[in-house]
Amino acid sequence: MKVMLEAGNVKKVYGQKGHIYTALKDINLEIKEGEFVGIMGPSGSGKTTLLNILSTIDQATSGSIRIDGNDIGKMKEEQLTSFRREKLGFIFQDYNLLDTLTIEENIVLPLALSKVKAKEIDRRVKEIAGKFGIEDILSKFPYQVSGGQKQRAAASRAIIANPSLIFADEPTGALDSKSATALLQSLSQLNVKDHATIMMVTHDAFAASFCSRVLFIKDGVIFTELVKGETSRQEYFQKILDVLSALGGGKGDLI
């Protein structure tokens, strides 16, 4: 199976002499095409730093990162900008929708920037809105819809350009349980049916139970991992809770 993301000895250090903080210590990982991988760990463990570095938002102090065969460390800023637009999709906790655009206009923004033809844009929008169940809100503005609908719109925007890899940063963090479940089921279907490759940072064991594999980070290193395999989601959920307990602290410490 094709390796979609490969990180080798990735290290991130903040500060200068006398005031150095090492956020990530020689992280090595692979994500294969079609995987749905979760990243979990206590607050301050380095999970968000890792997501930011792997998704090209931040730069590693040292180490190598390849996405879909491309060495992102060797790219200039202009190349990185094009690479993000063409190869990566992003789903953030706070939606990042533009209030002055309709839901449909927000979703198609990546295609408009890439100068895709109007007929193709219309076809893709209808297809993706159907997958996320938001066909009836396309003409509305973000302030007119619920948080769950906003996040499904953000997810639609993330996948409309057919990215090689989707990064999700606490995508259910601002949602109620019903909206969170709907979003996770949509992402899971996207992963299973369309073989979308997804990496999701989450503090929520329920959200992580939708992943095919979960990596646990503690003190800037990968502590362990869990692979779902043939395990039921309920059993997998319990195993995730057990690992979080072993990492130290209750749920309140992991937010």
Side-chain angles (χ1 to χ4, degrees):
M1 194 179 291
K2 179 181 178 182
V3 175
M4 187 56 69
L5 185 152
E6 184 178 12
N9 298 317
V10 170
K11 188 175 183 179
K12 181 64 177 179
V13 177
Y14 293 102
Q16 297 175 335
K17 290 180 180 178
H19 299 281
I20 290 176
Y21 170 66
T22 303
L24 298 175
K25 306 169 188 174
D26 297 324
I27 295 284
N28 293 282
L29 63 85
E30 280 187 357
I31 295 178
K32 293 180 179 176
E33 188 175 30
E35 277 199 290
F36 187 174
V37 176
I39 306 288
M40 301 193 79
S43 178
S45 61
K47 58 186 184 294
T48 299
T49 301
L50 179 62
L51 179 89
N52 288 342
I53 288 172
L54 296 179
S55 65
T56 77
I57 293 171
D58 196 2
Q59 287 186 318
T61 304
S62 60
S64 64
I65 299 164
R66 298 182 73 86
I67 298 176
D68 200 10
N70 300 276
D71 187 339
I72 64 172
K74 293 181 178 178
M75 292 183 187
K76 294 179 181 178
E77 190 54 45
E78 192 175 313
Q79 291 174 301
L80 267 179
T81 300
S82 297
F83 183 78
R84 284 187 203 107
R85 187 170 62 238
E86 294 168 11
K87 293 283 188 179
L88 307 180
F90 298 90
I91 308 171
F92 300 101
Q93 182 176 333
D94 57 0
Y95 321 127
N96 280 17
L97 298 176
L98 298 174
D99 289 332
T100 54
L101 300 181
T102 65
I103 295 298
E104 181 171 1
E105 288 166 342
N106 269 285
I107 292 170
V108 305
L109 196 55
L111 297 185
L113 292 171
S114 298
K115 299 179 181 178
V116 175
K117 291 181 180 179
K119 191 174 181 181
E120 174 63 9
I121 288 177
D122 189 52
R123 183 193 70 77
R124 287 203 211 174
V125 134
K126 286 177 180 174
E127 179 187 344
I128 287 165
K131 287 179 181 178
F132 283 93
I134 54 172
E135 304 99 318
D136 57 340
I137 63 162
L138 291 175
S139 62
K140 294 184 177 181
F141 289 89
Y143 66 87
Q144 296 175 308
V145 304
S146 69
Q149 289 170 323
K150 285 180 189 176
Q151 194 59 295
R152 279 181 277 158
S156 299
R157 180 187 57 193
I159 69 166
I160 197 162
N162 296 321
S164 300
L165 183 57
I166 299 165
F167 291 100
D169 187 7
E170 301 280 9
T172 61
L175 304 180
D176 59 61
S177 59
K178 184 179 178 182
S179 297
T181 301
L183 176 69
L184 290 163
Q185 287 173 338
S186 295
L187 289 176
S188 182
Q189 285 297 305
L190 194 68
N191 169 248
V192 173
K193 290 186 176 179
D194 298 347
H195 306 291
T197 309
I198 307 169
M199 176 180 166
M200 176 176 70
V201 163
T202 181
H203 70 268
D204 183 8
F206 176 73
S209 71
F210 283 82
C211 299
S212 54
R213 182 162 61 105
V214 181
L215 302 174
F216 297 86
I217 295 183
K218 183 178 182 181
D219 300 328
V221 299
I222 295 175
F223 176 77
T224 189
E225 74 170 24
L226 279 179
V227 178
K228 185 178 182 183
E230 299 301 315
T231 309
S232 71
R233 197 165 59 74
Q234 288 75 15
E235 289 177 281
Y236 194 44
F237 171 68
Q238 187 56 54
K239 287 183 178 182
I240 292 167
L241 288 176
D242 292 343
V243 174
L244 291 177
S245 179
L247 278 168
K251 186 177 179 183
D253 297 314
L254 295 158
I255 293 174

